[in-house]
Amino acid sequence: MNEHLDSQTLERHIAGERTPEAENHLRECAACRAAVSRMEAALAQFALSTRRWSESQALSRPPAGWLASARPRWRMAPARWAAVAATAAVLLAVPLYYNYSQRQAAAQARADAVLLEEVSTDISRPAPEPLEPLIELVSQSNTGENR
Amino acid sequence: MADIRPSPLDDFDAVVAAHWAGVFRFALVSLRDADLAATVAQDCFVRAYRGRQRFRGDASVRTWLMQIAVNLVRDAARSRRLQFWKRAQDASRDFEALAATVADGGASPEAATAVREQLRAVWQAVRGLPERQRTVFLLRFTEQMELMEIAAVTGMAEGTVKVHLFRALRAVRQALGHESL
């Protein structure tokens, strides 16, 4: 083994693109192995520093309740939707019931008027309807006698 | 017929709890401004919540959220370019104290100083990277994403992701003085 890995191969390896050739070389070459280790250690320290810096910030956790305030107002819980639906049903039912009652009252009034008319006709007759021919006969007979 | 399969986004509070830290960290390291990073994180989750019907499950929830975050970070960096460097200076003071905590983990004073210098070099190199290289570098080495996932997040071809990542690594290796064996 006469040559070390070139920069490009080392960078590819560190970036995660690993080839069997580079893996084999690294097993045998201490200098290249040390170069990779040094770079990986520096990158691990960098990652750790970003993590610690982020975690040290007050805003590294979401502010309490902010998502609830960001949700659109029309998005309601199912129980609220049920209450709204029930209210709407009641509001719709009241005029329908009122309309139905009015129609029933009007029909009843018409039936009462017909009945009253029939009663009035019956009362205005001098005799019940079945006796009317007899009354007429008596009336004609009386008229003939008077002559 | 409507699709009624359960979605990983059904419990959105759990999604926020699981992924806020990653989104915030990516935004913080990219923008170096905690308030702006928090705004980006909030916008990211609000957009995800409002667009959750479009989530088809082809990618993971993390990939989907990071797609949104990458776009928001890019927009935020562009719209606040003038204020960026002042904020970056403030943030770097904040960072110096934290670099010390990473470096002082039980090491000798000399080793701690070497680690601190190394960290400073990496941070400066990352700060100087072009936007795409920095994004790819951070997704790979701070969020530990695979190349395919980075391609999905950024919308780049996998080959393009590799090119940006190799260039970013070369810049960081040069900043560390590791480029020669």
Side-chain angles (χ1 to χ4, degrees):
Chain A
M1 187 177 61
N2 297 321
E3 292 182 3
H4 292 301
L5 293 178
D6 61 28
S7 289
Q8 198 174 13
T9 307
L10 273 176
E11 283 146 15
R12 284 173 183 270
H13 182 85
I14 292 162
E17 194 177 66
R18 302 191 168 183
T19 62
E21 294 78 16
E23 298 271 15
N24 288 339
H25 179 89
L26 286 168
R27 265 194 292 275
E28 295 173 11
C29 179
C32 288
R33 215 166 38 241
V36 169
S37 295
R38 272 203 314 275
M39 188 62 193
E40 286 179 339
L43 292 170
Q45 283 159 359
F46 172 71
L48 180 61
S49 72
T50 64
R51 199 166 290 269
R52 290 209 178 150
W53 187 33
S54 174
E55 286 168 357
S56 73
Q57 304 294 318
L59 294 164
S60 66
R61 294 279 171 274
W66 74 271
L67 185 60
S69 64
R71 284 179 169 130
R73 293 184 188 282
W74 50 264
R75 285 202 62 80
M76 291 188 292
R80 283 193 180 181
W81 277 118
V84 168
T87 307
V90 167
L91 291 174
L92 197 66
V94 165
L96 284 175
Y97 177 74
Y98 181 70
N99 197 18
Y100 172 74
S101 302
Q102 274 194 327
R103 276 187 308 189
Q104 263 200 331
Q108 186 65 50
R110 279 197 300 276
D112 289 349
V114 169
L115 183 63
L116 278 172
E117 201 172 325
E118 284 174 4
V119 169
S120 175
T121 307
D122 284 347
I123 291 172
S124 64
R125 282 183 170 134
E129 192 179 3
L131 295 178
E132 274 184 356
L134 187 61
I135 297 287
E136 200 173 332
L137 194 63
V138 170
S139 175
Q140 284 173 355
S141 162
N142 286 342
T143 309
E145 279 176 11
N146 289 338
R147 281 179 191 164
Chain B
M1 209 168 105
D3 190 352
I4 53 167
R5 282 176 301 177
S7 160
L9 301 176
D10 286 346
D11 184 356
F12 205 79
D13 290 316
V15 171
V16 174
H19 296 284
W20 177 280
V23 169
F24 175 77
R25 181 172 53 244
F26 172 73
L28 178 67
V29 179
S30 299
L31 299 165
R32 300 172 73 103
D33 179 331
D35 291 335
L36 194 51
T39 302
V40 163
Q42 288 193 11
D43 285 354
C44 175
F45 285 100
V46 167
R47 285 188 189 204
Y49 180 76
R50 291 184 179 158
R52 66 194 186 286
Q53 305 298 339
R54 293 193 298 274
F55 178 74
R56 297 191 305 275
D58 300 339
S60 70
V61 172
R62 180 172 84 143
T63 302
W64 186 58
L65 289 170
M66 291 305 279
Q67 272 178 348
I68 301 170
V70 163
N71 287 328
L72 288 170
V73 163
R74 188 175 52 229
D75 293 347
R78 284 175 185 168
S79 65
R80 305 218 175 176
R81 200 178 291 275
L82 292 176
Q83 299 170 39
F84 182 73
W85 291 109
K86 184 193 170 300
R87 288 169 185 268
Q89 280 180 337
D90 296 342
S92 65
R93 277 197 293 276
D94 198 3
F95 164 73
E96 287 295 329
L98 280 153
T101 68
V102 175
D104 295 345
S108 66
E110 295 78 16
T113 303
V115 169
R116 204 175 300 148
E117 288 306 313
Q118 208 172 42
L119 267 177
R120 185 176 289 112
V122 177
W123 273 91
Q124 282 178 348
V126 171
R127 190 197 296 177
L129 292 174
E131 179 203 309
R132 286 182 173 196
Q133 286 183 29
R134 184 171 56 239
T135 297
V136 168
F137 182 88
L138 293 178
L139 292 175
R140 178 73 189 96
F141 294 112
T142 68
E143 303 310 317
Q144 314 297 329
M145 286 185 175
E146 296 298 327
L147 297 176
M148 285 284 282
E149 192 176 7
I150 297 171
V153 165
T154 57
M156 295 180 206
E158 194 182 347
T160 311
V161 169
K162 286 179 185 174
V163 169
H164 286 304
L165 188 56
F166 300 154
R167 286 179 182 166
L169 265 175
R170 177 157 301 173
V172 172
R173 286 188 74 218
Q174 283 172 349
L176 287 166
H178 288 186
E179 72 267 47
S180 59
L181 284 173

